[in-house]
Amino acid sequence: MRAPERSVELTQVAEWQDGEVRPLQDQLAAEEPLEVRIGDTPLTVTMRTPGHDLELAAGFLLTEGIVQSPDQIAGMHAVAAENGTKSNVVRVELKDAPFDVSELKRNFIAASSCGICGKASIDATRQRGLRQPDTGFRVDPEILCGMTEALRSEQEVFSRTGGLHAAALFDAGGRLIVLREDIGRHNAVDKIVGWAFLEKTLPLSRYVMLVSGRGGFEIVQKALAAGIPVLASVSAPSSLAVKLARELGLTLVGFLRGRRFVVYSGEFRCLPVSRSA
Amino acid sequence: MRAPERSVELTQVAEWQDGEVRPLQDQLAAEEPLEVRIGDTPLTVTMRTPGHDLELAAGFLLTEGIVQSPDQIAGMHAVAAENGTKSNVVRVELKDAPFDVSELKRNFIAASSCGICGKASIDATRQRGLRQPDTGFRVDPEILCGMTEALRSEQEVFSRTGGLHAAALFDAGGRLIVLREDIGRHNAVDKIVGWAFLEKTLPLSRYVMLVSGRGGFEIVQKALAAGIPVLASVSAPSSLAVKLARELGLTLVGFLRGRRFVVYSGEFRCLPVSRSA
């Protein structure tokens, strides 16, 4: 998978090693702000790695509950920059216009400021209509174990810069369907969901999503919004991520490395019934 | 350094290893929302690891430019929760009341939505009055190299949960002054800055800050707001982090591991003059 050119920038740096200094050409993971507009009204600005911007915008709207259904998005395009070469603005048109964007922004702020305890945060996700993902989906432990290596070998920008998060979608057979990289883990997840939106394959009820690094509350919420039944991460989940996964019936896997993983929620989708405690 | 008890939660999980399943008691890094209020008015909600909440609130206000000077904060306290046991709300009183919080929030949103290109983001930090940190501060490369090991050995919650970011402050002699852990790297940095506020040691012009993981734009901005001259990270910085560090004269070090590191900006503070290319 070839990463978009704008996702890497070259720069001259100095390397110190064992007392010796030498100049070095380094590849940096690109970070730039992206503004998402609904019609003419700015909705949000997020720092992201350029590339797959339409996916990011669509995924953000869907996973943050700003739109409840893919059908509500009528169209999207990158707004041309003044110099004509690249753009950091995506304009989204929603159906059923005129749409009250100020109301939308209020809801958005309310959703992200969803209370002062973990329980209130979980209740807010229920109020958004997030439900238990497909209970018929299963994935074999041996197949799960193969996904980390597949992710690593496809992380092109990471291998060049050492500085990116990744999210990837696998089917139950362990086939890598799509991978996205970004300086923000949540952006990588949004890009995956936005990809599915553009491919018209939402909800993602027959897939495993694997993320690099940790699995926090926000990532679990985004997976649920996309209907993903199994979320796996290379590192540890947070307490609130586990609570939300358990309450809403998502399978949450952590520390997926080599031939070992830990199941925090929804064992039935990934552990043999007879063997699970 | 003993971490606050609320920063870890116990839970029962299932471990799969080489085809065998066994129950396991796991320690999770705690994640809960914290609401920061200015007087009675909610300003923001952030997902964080409980503990050092006053530091987090103060650091957030200072590093995000919501207040320009520590003198503007008249007082802070944790608002008691209904069950009386723990709180997820910090109330901050500002001097020079009555204070227009709606104006404050507008500025805050404007600051985080600071334009649609990296240059505009950097310009916005200038408009906030961020300046070049102390040009007289120096740190020896050998001393820098010792900091990663010190950070690792003191990361108590990380070692128990595998799920936390850390930020730590060192003096030029390599002594660890303070370390904070959080599920959010930016929160760990805010807790350090808030600690300095409570200790009345701002600006932090004679210290190195080391962060686990990557160094992005946001972290560089926060370091500059606290007057920190040297920011080091264990992993890679982003392109915009490097640009901001170069424009404002912060020393930015990446890939600080073992006896090697890479200097992206401000070499004069950490490389021998005669040797640097």
Side-chain angles (χ1 to χ4, degrees):
Chain A
M1 262 173 237
R2 182 118 191 96
E5 262 323 296
R6 284 175 59 203
S7 57
V8 172
E9 290 183 19
L10 293 176
T11 192
Q12 285 295 325
V13 297
E15 179 195 51
W16 182 94
Q17 184 157 29
D18 275 329
E20 296 300 318
V21 180
R22 66 181 184 109
L24 200 71
Q25 173 151 282
D26 197 42
Q27 304 191 70
L28 297 172
E31 176 182 26
E32 283 191 33
L34 178 72
E35 179 178 318
V36 179
R37 292 185 194 158
I38 306 292
D40 293 323
T41 310
L43 176 71
T44 186
V45 175
T46 181
M47 287 290 181
R48 101 307 189 186
T49 299
H52 305 294
D53 290 341
L54 295 182
E55 293 179 354
L56 174 56
F60 177 84
L61 295 177
L62 289 160
T63 67
E64 294 297 317
I66 294 165
V67 302
Q68 268 68 45
S69 149
D71 304 335
Q72 289 176 263
I73 299 176
M76 293 188 296
H77 68 275
V79 177
E82 280 180 25
N83 60 15
T85 52
K86 61 178 185 176
S87 165
N88 280 324
V89 178
V90 168
R91 182 184 164 124
V92 182
E93 309 296 339
L94 298 182
K95 279 184 188 154
D96 310 320
F99 198 93
D100 186 350
V101 177
S102 62
E103 176 63 24
L104 194 83
K105 288 177 93 165
R106 262 196 300 279
N107 290 344
F108 174 49
I109 289 165
S112 32
S113 315
C114 49
I116 54 166
C117 72
K119 187 172 176 314
S121 303
I122 290 172
D123 290 347
T125 65
R126 284 192 192 283
Q127 282 160 25
R128 271 182 56 191
L130 299 189
R131 272 184 294 270
Q132 182 174 29
D134 192 339
T135 53
F137 180 79
R138 295 287 183 280
V139 60
D140 188 90
E142 299 282 351
I143 286 178
L144 259 184
C145 287
M147 293 179 185
T148 319
E149 188 47 41
L151 180 76
R152 182 67 62 175
S153 67
E154 291 288 341
Q155 267 184 273
E156 195 210 344
V157 182
F158 177 84
S159 65
R160 287 160 71 187
T161 66
L164 283 204
H165 286 291
L169 216 58
F170 293 86
D171 66 17
R175 194 167 64 98
L176 195 157
I177 308 298
V178 59
L179 176 145
R180 292 290 179 262
E181 295 181 273
D182 201 284
I183 46 133
R185 192 185 296 110
H186 52 101
N187 291 336
V189 170
D190 281 343
K191 285 176 177 178
I192 294 283
V193 176
W195 168 87
F197 164 74
L198 294 174
E199 295 283 320
K200 303 192 192 307
T201 57
L202 284 174
L204 294 168
S205 51
R206 309 298 296 171
Y207 297 97
V208 175
M209 186 163 69
L210 173 61
V211 296
S212 63
R214 294 178 308 103
F217 177 80
E218 194 187 21
I219 302 298
V220 170
Q221 194 176 38
K222 285 176 185 290
L224 285 165
I228 292 168
V230 179
L231 173 64
S233 75
V234 175
S235 184
S238 73
S239 63
L240 200 54
V242 173
K243 276 182 202 136
L244 179 60
R246 286 177 180 170
E247 290 243 359
L248 274 86
L250 172 83
T251 295
L252 183 63
V253 171
F255 294 104
L256 182 59
R257 300 169 185 178
R259 289 186 50 76
R260 176 184 182 263
F261 59 84
V262 174
V263 189
Y264 291 86
S265 170
E267 298 180 15
F268 67 95
R269 291 197 189 87
C270 67
L271 292 183
V273 177
S274 57
R275 282 168 132 173
S276 71
Chain B
M1 259 172 238
R2 183 118 190 96
E5 260 324 294
R6 284 176 59 204
S7 57
V8 172
E9 290 184 20
L10 293 177
T11 192
Q12 285 295 326
V13 298
E15 178 195 53
W16 182 96
Q17 184 157 29
D18 275 331
E20 297 300 318
V21 179
R22 66 182 183 110
L24 199 71
Q25 173 150 283
D26 196 41
Q27 303 192 67
L28 297 172
E31 176 182 25
E32 284 192 30
L34 177 72
E35 179 179 318
V36 179
R37 292 185 193 157
I38 306 292
D40 293 323
T41 310
L43 175 72
T44 186
V45 175
T46 180
M47 287 291 181
R48 100 309 190 187
T49 299
H52 305 294
D53 290 340
L54 295 183
E55 292 179 354
L56 175 57
F60 178 84
L61 294 178
L62 288 161
T63 67
E64 294 298 317
I66 294 165
V67 300
Q68 269 68 46
S69 150
D71 304 335
Q72 290 176 264
I73 300 177
M76 295 188 298
H77 69 275
V79 177
E82 281 180 24
N83 60 15
T85 52
K86 61 178 186 177
S87 165
N88 279 324
V89 178
V90 168
R91 182 184 162 124
V92 182
E93 309 296 339
L94 297 183
K95 280 183 189 155
D96 310 320
F99 199 93
D100 185 349
V101 177
S102 62
E103 176 63 24
L104 194 84
K105 288 177 95 165
R106 260 196 301 281
N107 290 344
F108 174 50
I109 290 164
S112 32
S113 315
C114 49
I116 55 167
C117 73
K119 188 173 175 311
S121 303
I122 290 173
D123 289 347
T125 64
R126 283 191 192 282
Q127 282 160 25
R128 272 180 56 191
L130 299 189
R131 273 183 292 272
Q132 182 175 28
D134 192 338
T135 53
F137 181 79
R138 295 288 183 280
V139 59
D140 187 89
E142 299 282 350
I143 285 178
L144 258 183
C145 287
M147 293 179 186
T148 319
E149 188 48 42
L151 180 76
R152 182 67 62 177
S153 67
E154 291 287 340
Q155 266 184 271
E156 195 210 345
V157 181
F158 177 85
S159 66
R160 287 159 70 186
T161 67
L164 283 204
H165 286 291
L169 215 57
F170 294 86
D171 65 18
R175 194 167 63 99
L176 196 158
I177 307 299
V178 59
L179 176 146
R180 291 290 179 263
E181 294 181 274
D182 202 285
I183 45 132
R185 192 185 297 112
H186 51 102
N187 291 337
V189 170
D190 281 343
K191 286 176 177 178
I192 294 283
V193 176
W195 169 87
F197 164 75
L198 294 174
E199 296 283 321
K200 303 192 193 306
T201 57
L202 284 173
L204 294 167
S205 51
R206 309 299 297 170
Y207 297 97
V208 175
M209 186 162 71
L210 173 61
V211 296
S212 62
R214 293 178 309 103
F217 177 79
E218 194 186 22
I219 302 298
V220 170
Q221 194 175 38
K222 286 177 184 288
L224 285 165
I228 291 167
V230 179
L231 174 64
S233 75
V234 175
S235 184
S238 74
S239 64
L240 200 54
V242 172
K243 276 184 202 131
L244 179 59
R246 286 178 180 170
E247 290 244 359
L248 274 86
L250 172 83
T251 295
L252 184 63
V253 170
F255 294 104
L256 182 59
R257 299 168 186 178
R259 289 186 49 74
R260 177 185 182 263
F261 59 84
V262 175
V263 188
Y264 292 85
S265 170
E267 299 180 12
F268 67 96
R269 290 195 189 89
C270 67
L271 292 183
V273 177
S274 57
R275 281 168 133 172
S276 71

